[in-house]
Amino acid sequence: SDTGFPMIATVPTGGIPGNKIWVKGPGALAGDYAPTTNTPTLGAGAAATITAPVTVEGYTTTRGDGGRPTIVCSAASLEALTVSGNFFIVKNLSLTVSGSAFRAIVVSGAYNQIINCVMAGVSPCRVTNGSNHFIGCEMKDGSSTNPGVIIVASGNNVFDKCSIHSN
């Protein structure tokens, strides 16, 4: 079954606008959170707005310390994280996929900010909507057929101070 990360056991419809969800690392038993049956999804059910976003922020010891808990996914047909809603802030997470898992992160919503995250493995990052902002992220170690970032969207996606390498 799924371990550790609170949004894995049941796929949520979103979050409460303006709230912050803290994710403590390093993770579950092996030091990682491991989705095996559901993709952790920040969904469209939250009526977040630009003035009341839903924030998911990782830390290791003290809230706000910038530490990155890890979500590791090797289960078939799953992503480590999907952001399908609008106005989410995802900060300080390490997302890794291997084996038959799909992607480290999929951003299908709009007006989201992905900050200080590391995306690694088979297919690190897929963006299927516009107006998202990636800040200080690292996309790495994609497979021979998957680049670090796949953009299947029209719109103004911005990658600011990101490192895309070893893909």
Side-chain angles (χ1 to χ4, degrees):
S1 73
D2 298 315
T3 56
F5 196 64
M7 288 173 277
I8 292 174
T10 57
V11 180
T13 57
I16 297 171
N19 277 7
K20 182 175 276 193
I21 300 166
W22 290 100
V23 181
K24 186 173 194 231
L29 299 177
D32 300 312
Y33 297 115
T36 57
T37 55
N38 294 316
T39 292
T41 302
L42 299 170
T49 66
I50 195 166
T51 56
V54 174
T55 302
V56 175
E57 183 171 340
Y59 70 102
T60 50
T61 304
T62 305
R63 289 180 176 184
D65 66 10
R68 288 189 191 114
T70 302
I71 301 173
V72 174
C73 183
S74 60
S77 304
L78 296 183
E79 279 91 24
L81 181 67
T82 293
V83 182
S84 64
N86 301 329
F87 299 107
F88 280 84
I89 298 171
V90 177
K91 187 174 181 180
N92 302 335
L93 293 178
S94 180
L95 308 161
T96 302
V97 289
S98 63
S100 57
F102 278 176
R103 296 164 194 96
I105 191 169
V106 173
V107 180
S108 58
Y111 311 108
N112 297 294
Q113 295 180 47
I114 313 300
I115 304 167
N116 194 34
C117 290
V118 175
M119 295 143 241
V122 182
S123 181
C125 180
R126 182 177 176 93
V127 184
T128 62
N129 205 337
S131 301
N132 294 290
H133 197 170
F134 293 78
I135 305 164
C137 292
E138 183 178 14
M139 295 85 163
K140 64 181 183 174
D141 302 331
S143 71
S144 61
T145 56
N146 290 296
V149 177
I150 299 171
I151 300 175
V152 187
S154 60
N156 301 313
N157 290 296
V158 176
F159 293 82
D160 185 14
K161 298 180 183 86
C162 292
S163 175
I164 303 168
H165 64 91
S166 305
N167 295 290

